[in-house]
Amino acid sequence: MEQEIDRFIQAILIACDPSQVALHQQALEYLSHVQQNAHESWRLALKVFVDTDPSGQGRKYPPQARFTALRMLDEFFDNRFERLDDDTFRSLQESILSYIQSEYVYGSAESNASFLRNKFSHTLTLFFLCTYVEQWPTFFSDLFQLIRNGDSSQPKFNRHVSLLLFHLVVEISGEVADQTLKAARTFNPVRHARDGRVRDAVRERDAALINEAVLTIVADAAERMSLLRKSGTDSTALDEVVEVVDWGVRTFASYAGWVDINLTVTPSTVPLLFSLLADPSLAIRLATSAALLRIVSKGLKEPEDKLQLIKVLSLDQVIDALEAKTRAQQIERGSDEDEGEESYREALGKLLNVLGLELSKLVEECANPQVVSEAKRLLNQVLPIMLRFMADDYDDTCCTIFPLLQAVLGTYKRNKKVTPGPLDEPTRSFLNSLLNVVLQKMRWDKDTDPADMDLDDVAAFELLRKDLRSFMDSVLTIEPDLVTQAIRTLVLNTLSSYRSGVPVEWHDAELAIYLVYIFGEISKSGGKGRAAFCLAPAVPKDKRKDVDYSEYPLTPHGEILLALVQSRISAYPHRAVVMQFFETVARYNDFFKIRKDCIMPTLEAMVGTRGLHSPDTSVRRRTYYLFHRFIREGRNDVSPELASSLVEGIRDLLAIHVDLPTLDSQEDDLLTEAIKNPGLFDHQLYIFETVGILVSLLSKAQEQQASILLSVVTPLLDDLSTNLSSVKSKEDVISIVQVHHVIMALGNIAKGFPDYPSPVPEGYSFAPLEVFRQVSHAILVALKAMNVFKCVRDAARYAFARIIATTGSNVTDVIPPLMANLLAHFEPSELVDFMNFIGLLIHRLQKDLFDVLDELLGPLNAHITNLLSQPLTGVDDGLTHAETKRAYIGLLTNIIGSGVYGVFISERNKNSLEPLLENMCRLAQDMSDPPSQKATFAFFGRAVHVWCRPEQPREDSQQALPGFERFVYERLVPTAFAVLSSPQFNPKDGQMLMVMLEIANFLQVVYCTRKTEAHEFFVSVFLPSQGWPPHTAMEFASKLRDLDNKGFRKYFTEFVRLSRSQPS
């Protein structure tokens, strides 16, 4: 064996030495082999771990080797659920006891390699689990014999063996009773049963002895700890005793939840624990609070026993005193943080939370009225302490009692439903106090600035606010007036103080505005629209412009919004306050419809140096959107004069500056990254859209409107022309990006105008069409010159989609050259966007797009058919393939559902229709893509509706398709039933269910369009050809005829499922 041990040691040393590159992998493979064969190599491992050097004073092998040896023993023990043979057991038992005696009783307990102590306790625990029930029932008795010191000059109990015992019991508790640890493992029924037997055996044989030993050692150490503190003995001795007490209490906590409560709660243990709960040592206090938490939360069968346990402990009184003491210490420390002491307050909060939850359970679940009454009394004593923890400056401590608070409020809500009358005074008083604490905790920390905080810290505070909001919502359910009044009072007092010149801290100002911001969510009982802000009678929509809403009294929400604007708090010199103001006014636009005098001061704040012209980029970035939202939703209340003034006020913001990003890798393309990460420009687009909205408001003065729009777009067109001439190659990134940005900006200006109406109403004021024609031609020139750049093609497509939405068919002359340039250079990734763009044009232009579509359909169809027939080369390729297919089907469906469906049978395209339909049939039977199948049958349904009508309307006579019904009967209907009968079709799958429902729709369209002819086809031709019995075919056709769409879909679904469930 010596040779094998030498090889083992050598392999470990090589594995631990990074310089041994050549042999490193070989050593690891050897050690892995040895560990996998632990059933044979355990003797080697045991010898390496326990052998002493020739002097007998130390261990023979290095710590790394001994640690690896323990890992091998772990492997041997961990998955062993059968009995060890006697020789193996005796060999292991004797070696381990001998090792404990030499190393722990007489030695230093691995003082030079403390990590071995922890590892050994784990290994010994695994050995215990294997042997305790059947082979080593005297395990604890044998260990206890080693704990007492024989030398009277020494402490009663050997410190090293005591700590070993504590670590062992903690490990054993974790293995047999810790549900978190068990849940983390893969469930093994054999292990589970073995652990249950061990747990029961410990309870029966040794629980009392273990408990007595642990508490005796803890009490003795606590007494010595007190003497050492009084005598002022050196800190090393005191630290050693503190460690014993700490681990002793931890050990007690580890088994308190799974042994008899009569062992852990006795006249001697309770005073001991309470004395340690206030010990000067933080570690001991934390361990004790955890132990008491385990005791309180222990499950007891009888509610009376649980109540008695809580009364015996009187924890509410103890925690009350300790909370007051630690809060006083906290105040005394001031700004000097002590994380340790704060963790102790957090532990006390958790303890109170569990105590309260146990009382809450008794109140809710117990059938004994006496127990319920007493539990209520005790719970009411806990609530004020709970609020003090909740008010703690440290959010971690505050959050500890949230589960208890949630349970208490849940009880109040249920009681309110049962007895809806007024609240009793104690409950009302508690809810008032709770609201005060909630509002206090909703404030930011005064000494921090959200703009400078770590994003995780900001997110944590926002989450806290969300939780606090949920508690406020609960109080709102119980007593709405309390919440409304509390918020109203705080907001009005804060805003009034600021307006009067009284100094207001920034976090108080921000909270007041935040409460105004969320008030609309809180006050759910209020009306909608104007009714949320003033108490006015209902007025017909067409007469609201004539009503002076300022004459009517305001609701509480209207009152605090008016106070917000009138306070001029938007001038507060703190970013968080100003931004919260902007968020709030942008959210409640309906308020400004009843208090129009508030519009100007709000806009002045937004447009000024606090908002759009702020030197802070982050403020400008967000305010661009909020200003856009405020104008967009309140456009009807912006006069032409104000609109013109606002355009002048923000004209300087329309200059476009390219921000080039820093590349993370040399492989990144600068142009691509600059388009993906446009910086401020992405937000600046909101300003361009807002300018479009403002200019559109000048529609009654068309010359002025055209003049102002031209003055806005001219600098952009000049910029476009300048940069266009600067682009010589793809290296001119700044100019290319500038062209992209300008085209996008022009598109967004058009987006601000209303959509072109269809039909055009009498007296409609058109957008400045000549200006938009000029813009369209300029973009087209840029696209023609730079169509090799994908970003320019994308921008042109984006801009024209918005310009056409505004101008309708007035710029259709640019569509053919636009299409030609978009298709001149083409990447597969653009195909989906291009087809969506065509779909948008169809929607906007209808028959005006016929000629363009007539030329485009054939080549596009051929290109896509070829693309979809190509083999897939990877996951990304598959996703692109699927997206293209769905966009293609969507485009065809748009065409067949619009006024241009005649393009399919035009002189140019009629010969391509049948191949197109055959291709669609193939797509309909592709069981790997249910969404495309569904879309395909939707297309078929529309095609039937268009081309199968017995009598075509006169205006559609040139677009009729005689004989199409034969194709429906011979190809489309069989295709539908082929899908349903496919072995791959699973009607229980959600996506395939959608396909089945769409097929039901398709069949009904066929029947409703062809009526008697379709009925005869199904009953006499098709269904009999599929082997259907006559009565089944007749029933199916009758359901198809008689049921409405909803009824037939339900029948059809059940019919298909039943048919597939029956053996063929």
Side-chain angles (χ1 to χ4, degrees):
M1 182 178 280
E2 290 302 323
Q3 279 187 325
E4 191 61 37
I5 289 176
D6 289 342
R7 284 185 65 194
F8 179 70
I9 301 299
Q10 189 178 7
I12 291 169
L13 295 176
I14 292 170
C16 296
D17 185 358
S19 64
Q20 299 275 1
V21 179
L23 299 174
H24 190 262
Q25 187 59 37
Q26 188 178 342
L28 289 177
E29 289 173 0
Y30 167 76
L31 292 173
S32 176
H33 173 74
V34 172
Q35 187 163 338
Q36 288 172 5
N37 290 279
H39 60 283
E40 295 177 355
S41 55
W42 67 267
R43 293 180 188 278
L44 177 149
L46 182 64
K47 191 170 178 59
V48 169
F49 180 69
V50 302
D51 272 9
T52 56
D53 60 19
S55 70
Q57 300 301 309
R59 296 295 153 188
K60 184 175 182 179
Y61 299 107
Q64 302 98 313
R66 298 179 64 222
F67 184 84
T68 306
L70 286 176
R71 287 179 59 188
M72 289 172 57
L73 289 171
D74 288 354
E75 185 70 24
F76 179 55
F77 296 139
D78 195 22
N79 294 308
R80 172 172 288 278
F81 304 112
E82 69 275 6
R83 178 189 175 96
L84 293 168
D85 66 77
D86 292 343
D87 289 343
T88 299
F89 168 68
R90 277 195 297 272
S91 177
L92 286 163
Q93 182 189 41
E94 289 169 5
S95 297
I96 287 172
L97 285 174
S98 174
Y99 164 75
I100 293 172
Q101 194 155 27
S102 63
E103 191 63 48
Y104 285 81
V105 178
Y106 301 113
S108 63
E110 304 287 1
S111 59
N112 295 326
S114 57
F115 63 91
L116 285 175
R117 284 202 299 266
N118 294 334
K119 187 62 181 172
F120 173 67
S121 65
H122 179 66
T123 304
L124 184 53
T125 298
L126 297 179
F127 182 51
F128 165 85
L129 293 172
C130 293
T131 59
Y132 176 70
V133 175
E134 296 181 1
Q135 294 180 280
W136 199 356
T138 60
F139 178 89
F140 287 108
S141 302
D142 294 345
L143 198 59
F144 293 156
Q145 290 177 10
L146 303 175
I147 289 180
R148 273 192 187 275
N149 273 323
D151 188 347
S152 59
S153 64
Q154 297 291 323
K156 281 185 192 176
F157 304 104
N158 182 294
R159 174 174 166 271
H160 296 321
V161 182
S162 298
L163 288 172
L164 174 62
L165 170 67
F166 294 159
H167 281 270
L168 269 172
V169 175
V170 169
E171 291 263 7
I172 291 167
S173 293
E175 291 289 333
V176 302
D178 190 327
Q179 296 306 314
T180 304
L181 182 62
K182 287 178 176 293
R185 286 196 187 117
T186 302
F187 180 75
N188 183 331
V190 180
R191 178 193 289 274
H192 183 73
R194 189 276 311 271
D195 291 347
R197 289 196 300 273
V198 172
R199 187 170 59 246
D200 292 342
V202 172
R203 283 174 177 154
E204 183 181 342
R205 297 175 189 167
D206 291 315
L209 289 173
I210 294 169
N211 185 61
E212 182 183 358
V214 169
L215 290 173
T216 303
I217 295 169
V218 169
D220 176 72
E223 187 178 339
R224 285 191 293 117
M225 186 170 63
S226 177
L227 293 172
L228 288 170
R229 283 173 178 155
K230 287 178 183 176
S231 63
T233 310
D234 68 281
S235 60
T236 303
L238 180 59
D239 289 346
E240 289 180 349
V241 180
V242 167
E243 183 184 15
V244 171
V245 176
D246 174 24
W247 270 99
V249 178
R250 290 198 217 181
T251 305
F252 176 83
S254 76
Y255 64 72
W258 59 276
V259 303
D260 188 347
I261 192 73
N262 293 314
L263 295 176
T264 53
V265 179
T266 68
S268 59
T269 57
V270 173
L272 174 63
L273 290 172
F274 283 163
S275 67
L276 297 176
L277 190 60
D279 192 84
S281 166
L282 175 64
I284 291 174
R285 279 181 279 144
L286 292 176
T288 308
S289 64
L292 286 166
L293 188 146
R294 291 283 183 90
I295 291 172
V296 174
S297 59
K298 180 176 173 60
L300 299 176
K301 288 182 180 179
E302 299 300 330
E304 292 81 3
D305 293 341
K306 172 64 78 170
L307 181 63
Q308 186 59 30
L309 171 65
I310 291 172
K311 292 174 73 173
V312 165
L313 292 173
S314 299
L315 263 179
D316 56 327
Q317 299 171 27
V318 175
I319 297 174
D320 189 8
L322 289 173
E323 190 284 325
K325 177 183 174 183
T326 53
R327 182 160 35 88
Q329 293 169 345
Q330 196 180 54
I331 294 168
E332 190 179 333
R333 285 193 300 272
S335 59
D336 295 333
E337 292 187 16
D338 188 330
E339 289 188 7
E341 291 304 319
E342 295 308 330
S343 69
Y344 177 53
R345 274 185 65 80
E346 188 180 339
L348 290 175
K350 289 177 180 176
L351 183 55
L352 182 78
N353 177 68
V354 169
L355 172 63
L357 285 173
E358 293 298 326
L359 287 168
S360 180
K361 284 180 191 173
L362 290 175
V363 171
E364 287 294 304
E365 299 172 8
C366 182
N368 186 332
Q370 291 181 332
V371 171
V372 171
S373 175
E374 185 65 9
K376 278 184 181 178
R377 184 185 69 80
L378 293 171
L379 182 59
N380 287 333
Q381 292 176 2
V382 165
L383 295 183
I385 314 170
M386 177 192 73
L387 290 181
R388 298 207 300 271
F389 276 112
M390 187 177 178
D392 196 286
D393 288 340
Y394 289 83
D395 294 341
D396 288 344
T397 303
C398 164
C399 294
T400 57
I401 54 80
F402 282 4
L404 170 58
L405 178 56
Q406 192 172 14
V408 170
L409 292 175
T411 300
Y412 286 170
K413 284 194 286 186
R414 285 188 290 274
N415 291 344
K416 183 73 173 179
K417 283 183 179 179
V418 176
T419 54
L423 295 175
D424 59 77
E425 190 51 39
T427 302
R428 190 177 183 86
S429 175
F430 166 72
L431 293 177
N432 259 323
S433 301
L434 170 62
L435 283 173
N436 289 334
V437 174
V438 166
L439 293 174
Q440 172 195 325
K441 286 300 299 180
M442 276 187 166
R443 297 181 304 175
W444 289 92
D445 184 347
K446 182 178 72 172
D447 299 325
T448 61
D449 186 340
D452 300 329
M453 288 171 65
D454 182 84
L455 290 177
D456 290 341
D457 292 337
V458 173
F461 179 74
E462 295 292 352
L463 182 60
L464 174 65
R465 264 190 172 175
K466 184 179 177 183
D467 289 336
L468 294 168
R469 273 284 315 280
S470 71
F471 298 137
M472 191 183 287
D473 289 343
S474 294
V475 179
L476 187 78
T477 305
I478 300 162
E479 193 72 6
D481 291 345
L482 280 180
V483 179
T484 304
Q485 191 57 37
I487 292 177
R488 180 180 174 279
T489 301
L490 186 148
V491 170
L492 293 180
N493 287 346
T494 304
L495 296 176
S496 175
S497 297
Y498 179 79
R499 191 177 184 184
S500 304
V502 177
V504 175
E505 295 287 356
W506 80 265
H507 66 319
D508 289 320
E510 192 277 341
L511 174 63
I513 305 172
Y514 172 73
L515 292 172
V516 181
Y517 177 80
I518 65 171
F519 195 87
E521 301 169 29
I522 293 169
S523 185
K524 297 182 178 73
S525 59
K528 293 182 179 180
R530 294 174 175 85
F533 307 104
C534 75
L535 302 170
V539 178
K541 193 172 183 179
D542 57 337
K543 295 183 179 179
R544 287 175 188 169
K545 285 189 176 181
D546 303 326
V547 177
D548 182 5
Y549 285 94
S550 63
E551 296 178 353
Y552 296 104
L554 295 170
T555 64
H557 198 185
E559 195 178 359
I560 59 178
L561 269 166
L562 180 64
L564 176 68
V565 177
Q566 290 180 341
S567 70
R568 300 277 178 172
I569 203 166
S570 61
Y572 196 100
H574 195 285
R575 178 186 179 279
V577 176
V578 176
M579 290 309 299
Q580 191 62 66
F581 174 84
F582 291 151
E583 296 281 354
T584 303
V585 294
R587 187 177 209 186
Y588 295 114
N589 195 270
D590 281 327
F591 167 75
F592 295 91
K593 295 175 182 176
I594 65 163
R595 287 293 186 269
K596 296 184 180 181
D597 55 311
C598 292
I599 293 176
M600 276 305 297
T602 301
L603 286 172
E604 286 172 2
M606 281 188 155
V607 174
T609 55
R610 291 163 276 172
L612 298 178
H613 288 89
S614 169
D616 188 335
T617 304
S618 63
V619 170
R620 292 204 309 277
R621 184 183 293 122
R622 180 62 180 164
T623 312
Y624 285 162
Y625 165 71
L626 295 173
F627 177 67
H628 159 261
R629 179 176 171 180
F630 188 83
I631 294 296
R632 184 191 69 206
E633 296 185 6
R635 66 172 78 192
N636 294 335
D637 298 306
V638 177
S639 66
E641 295 75 22
L642 177 56
S644 177
S645 173
L646 285 171
V647 171
E648 293 304 318
I650 62 176
R651 190 181 289 273
D652 60 315
L653 301 175
L654 304 180
I656 297 173
H657 302 286
V658 172
D659 298 321
L660 291 182
T662 303
L663 297 181
D664 296 330
S665 166
Q666 292 182 349
E667 297 175 0
D668 291 338
D669 179 65
L670 182 58
L671 177 58
T672 303
E673 294 303 315
I675 298 299
K676 279 184 186 175
N677 306 288
L680 185 63
F681 175 72
D682 210 24
H683 305 271
Q684 194 179 6
L685 284 171
Y686 286 116
I687 289 296
F688 288 106
E689 185 179 345
T690 307
V691 167
I693 294 172
L694 293 170
V695 175
S696 74
L697 298 176
L698 306 174
S699 58
K700 292 183 180 178
Q702 291 195 328
E703 289 187 11
Q704 180 193 15
Q705 184 186 47
S707 173
I708 291 179
L709 179 60
L710 188 61
S711 72
V712 168
V713 302
T714 298
L716 294 171
L717 296 178
D718 292 342
D719 195 6
L720 183 64
S721 177
T722 301
N723 284 281
L724 196 58
S725 60
S726 301
V727 177
K728 307 299 182 187
S729 71
K730 66 177 183 179
E731 305 301 323
D732 299 315
V733 174
I734 291 180
S735 294
I736 297 170
V737 175
Q738 192 80 12
V739 168
H740 168 273
H741 285 4
V742 170
I743 294 173
M744 295 285 287
L746 291 168
N748 262 46
I749 291 173
K751 186 181 177 184
F753 281 77
D755 284 354
Y756 191 83
S758 180
V760 178
E762 187 178 346
Y764 181 74
S765 298
F766 292 98
L769 298 176
E770 287 304 319
V771 178
F772 280 116
R773 282 197 189 94
Q774 186 178 340
V775 169
S776 300
H777 285 287
I779 295 173
L780 197 58
V781 169
L783 175 63
K784 186 174 182 180
M786 297 179 64
N787 59 20
V788 294
F789 298 106
K790 179 180 181 295
C791 63
V792 175
R793 297 195 298 270
D794 289 343
R797 201 164 51 239
Y798 173 92
F800 270 104
R802 281 140 189 84
I803 290 170
I804 290 169
T806 298
T807 61
S809 59
N810 291 286
V811 292
T812 50
D813 57 306
V814 301
I815 300 296
L818 172 67
M819 294 296 177
N821 282 287
L822 287 175
L823 295 172
H825 297 274
F826 208 79
E827 293 181 15
S829 60
E830 293 177 75
L831 196 54
V832 171
D833 291 334
F834 180 76
M835 286 189 285
N836 290 338
F837 178 62
I838 298 298
L840 177 66
L841 295 185
I842 292 170
H843 174 68
R844 295 292 182 189
L845 303 178
Q846 293 289 321
K847 293 182 180 180
D848 291 317
L849 194 67
F850 187 94
D851 291 340
V852 173
L853 207 54
D854 190 36
E855 290 186 32
L856 182 66
L857 183 63
L860 183 65
N861 182 52
H863 178 78
I864 293 175
T865 303
N866 179 59
L867 183 71
L868 295 180
S869 66
Q870 299 298 318
L872 302 180
T873 58
V875 176
D876 291 342
D877 193 27
L879 292 173
T880 303
H881 188 277
E883 288 175 5
T884 303
K885 188 198 303 182
R886 287 166 204 166
Y888 171 59
I889 299 168
L891 174 61
L892 297 181
T893 306
N894 280 335
I895 295 172
I896 199 72
S898 69
V900 293
Y901 59 82
V903 73
F904 284 114
I905 54 174
S906 69
E907 194 62 32
R908 189 192 306 268
N909 295 312
K910 62 183 180 182
N911 293 331
S912 304
L913 178 60
E914 190 167 349
L916 183 149
L917 291 171
E918 288 291 348
N919 185 47
M920 292 292 280
C921 286
R922 284 191 291 274
L923 296 181
Q925 294 182 80
D926 181 3
M927 305 302 293
S928 67
D929 189 1
S932 293
Q933 287 182 288
K934 177 182 181 295
T936 304
F937 281 106
F939 168 80
F940 288 155
R942 293 196 181 187
V944 169
H945 179 74
V946 168
W947 285 323
C948 279
R949 285 176 289 181
E951 295 181 5
Q952 290 283 345
R954 183 173 299 172
E955 64 271 16
D956 289 347
S957 59
Q958 298 300 314
Q959 299 187 5
L961 187 58
F964 181 66
E965 67 277 4
R966 288 198 305 275
F967 185 81
V968 173
Y969 295 146
E970 293 170 8
R971 289 290 289 118
L972 299 190
V973 171
T975 296
F977 280 88
V979 169
L980 297 173
S981 59
S982 168
Q984 296 168 287
F985 185 79
N986 177 14
K988 294 181 180 178
D989 178 83
Q991 289 188 321
M992 290 190 177
L993 173 61
M994 293 297 103
V995 176
M996 181 162 56
L997 294 175
E998 195 61 56
I999 289 174
N1001 292 339
F1002 163 70
L1003 294 175
Q1004 273 212 311
V1005 170
V1006 171
Y1007 184 86
C1008 292
T1009 307
R1010 303 302 295 181
K1011 298 192 181 301
T1012 305
E1013 176 189 284
H1015 185 86
E1016 287 300 318
F1017 167 73
F1018 282 113
V1019 172
S1020 305
V1021 181
F1022 178 70
L1023 297 180
S1025 74
Q1026 302 297 303
W1028 287 38
H1031 71 278
T1032 306
M1034 180 59 75
E1035 179 193 356
F1036 180 83
S1038 299
K1039 297 288 186 184
L1040 192 57
R1041 178 190 62 203
D1042 299 336
L1043 294 177
D1044 61 9
N1045 182 257
K1046 183 178 179 181
F1048 180 71
R1049 279 156 56 110
K1050 183 178 180 181
Y1051 161 77
F1052 188 68
T1053 302
E1054 292 302 319
F1055 180 83
V1056 172
R1057 284 177 174 166
L1058 184 62
S1059 300
R1060 291 183 63 88
S1061 66
Q1062 293 175 350
S1064 56

